[in-house]
Amino acid sequence: MGTVTEIAGPSGCGKTQFCTMLSVLATLPGNRGGLEGKVLYMDTESAFSAERLVEIAQHKFPDLYNSEEDLCRMAENVLVDNHQTCASLIKKLESLEEEVISHRIRLVIVDSIASLVRKEFSSSAGSNLVQRTNFLSRQAALLKYIAEVFCIPVIVTNQITTRFGRQATEQDEEETTEISDGYVTVALGNTWSHNVNTRLILQYLDGEKRQVLVAKSPVAPFTAFNYTIQKDGIVQEEEGAGLYAGTDPGVQQINVRTSLPFYNT
């Protein structure tokens, strides 16, 4: 509660699935571990699926959502805002305090924090780099304010990038599968990584299995656990959980499927 958590990873690894499942969980009553409130879901990639939201609710909590009326009531508690420009998103964030109060918001999600920034600000131009850094800092400050003042969780998703050399910089190269001359890590640079309280990195393993790495946390050690994506959302595997040798979260390497093309989703 009261912190900003980032979920980062390659396309198709389950970032939006995590956010959708968290949306269902937040609407649950308190006696079922929920937050008994509404969710504000800011979608910058048009990735949110109401059908998937309903599917997760039905399969994860069949006793609670066994009628169309129950499902509609749950879905009405997830307020989805689509944003296609950085200006639109920052305007929404600047008025967020009023909306949290009036709608009794208990979870804020931005999916994704990187999409619009990487689209509008070229990392190859120095002036754009300054503007991008300022924009990200403003976003982070607004999100942290909401999280801390109202003591609610804020979730943001982030993409991946290829870095060349040992040091993480502000400049992102385009995502690529040719990583022999560099390594894949979380996008948006080192400055942004300091703006989140917790960083969870998703990466691919063999087959259908994927892995979550706790790469940064004020309370948890460097932990990894495996999961799959099922009809009822993200499902943790019984085996594979444990500690790992962590590093600077800004340069943590990520396993990707090198045989697949990557897109900014």
Side-chain angles (χ1 to χ4, degrees):
M1 291 294 191
T3 62
V4 177
T5 297
E6 177 194 69
I7 302 174
S11 175
C13 216
K15 300 186 294 293
T16 298
Q17 299 289 332
F18 259 97
C19 292
T20 305
M21 188 176 75
L22 290 172
S23 297
V24 173
L25 296 176
T27 63
L28 291 174
N31 61 7
R32 296 297 296 268
L35 301 179
E36 293 188 273
K38 294 186 177 182
V39 178
L40 179 59
Y41 196 116
M42 287 171 274
D43 184 6
T44 68
E45 298 184 325
S46 300
F48 178 82
S49 168
E51 291 80 7
R52 180 60 175 146
L53 180 78
V54 168
E55 181 182 43
I56 291 175
Q58 281 180 312
H59 286 86
K60 198 168 189 66
F61 303 102
D63 58 322
L64 284 180
Y65 304 112
N66 51 23
S67 70
E68 186 174 335
E69 182 180 352
D70 293 332
L71 288 167
C72 286
R73 190 179 303 114
M74 180 277 300
E76 287 173 354
N77 285 326
V78 181
L79 311 178
V80 181
D81 266 355
N82 288 288
H83 296 277
Q84 301 301 317
T85 66
C86 289
S88 170
L89 180 58
I90 204 71
K91 183 178 180 180
K92 181 68 174 183
L93 294 179
E94 289 173 342
S95 64
L96 200 53
E97 183 175 8
E98 180 181 347
E99 187 154 359
V100 169
I101 295 171
S102 61
H103 291 292
R104 201 167 166 269
I105 302 295
R106 292 295 176 264
L107 172 65
V108 174
I109 295 174
V110 182
D111 182 21
S112 94
I113 205 75
S115 176
L116 299 179
V117 175
R118 301 179 86 186
K119 187 189 306 179
E120 293 190 24
F121 297 103
S122 170
S123 60
S124 60
S127 59
N128 277 352
L129 186 58
V130 172
Q131 293 174 11
R132 187 180 81 158
T133 301
N134 291 339
F135 178 78
L136 287 170
S137 297
R138 177 63 174 156
Q139 279 191 110
L142 291 168
L143 291 171
K144 279 187 172 182
Y145 172 80
I146 291 297
E148 293 171 0
V149 169
F150 295 98
C151 197
I152 62 175
V154 171
I155 307 294
V156 300
T157 67
N158 196 355
Q159 300 170 350
I160 60 172
T161 189
T162 301
R163 296 201 190 283
F164 298 90
R166 298 181 61 86
Q167 297 297 320
T169 66
E170 296 294 332
Q171 182 168 330
D172 289 337
E173 300 293 335
E174 292 298 318
E175 291 183 16
T176 177
T177 59
E178 298 296 329
I179 60 174
S180 58
D181 295 327
Y183 62 95
V184 174
T185 190
V186 180
L188 300 183
N190 227 6
T191 300
W192 168 256
S193 71
H194 294 305
N195 286 322
V196 298
N197 303 105
T198 302
R199 168 170 282 179
L200 305 179
I201 294 178
L202 313 186
Q203 63 179 1
Y204 284 103
L205 297 180
D206 295 333
E208 298 299 318
K209 289 186 179 181
R210 297 164 172 85
Q211 186 178 60
V212 176
L213 302 176
V214 180
K216 178 183 179 182
S217 171
V219 295
F222 293 117
T223 311
F225 65 86
N226 300 341
Y227 68 95
T228 57
I229 300 175
Q230 307 292 341
K231 288 184 177 180
D232 56 345
I234 303 296
V235 178
Q236 183 177 350
E237 295 287 295
E238 294 183 1
E239 299 180 354
L243 302 178
Y244 75 98
T247 184
D248 182 339
V251 296
Q252 176 68 51
Q253 296 188 30
I254 301 174
N255 293 332
V256 298
R257 285 181 173 173
T258 56
S259 60
L260 296 177
F262 283 92
Y263 305 93
N264 291 338
T265 59

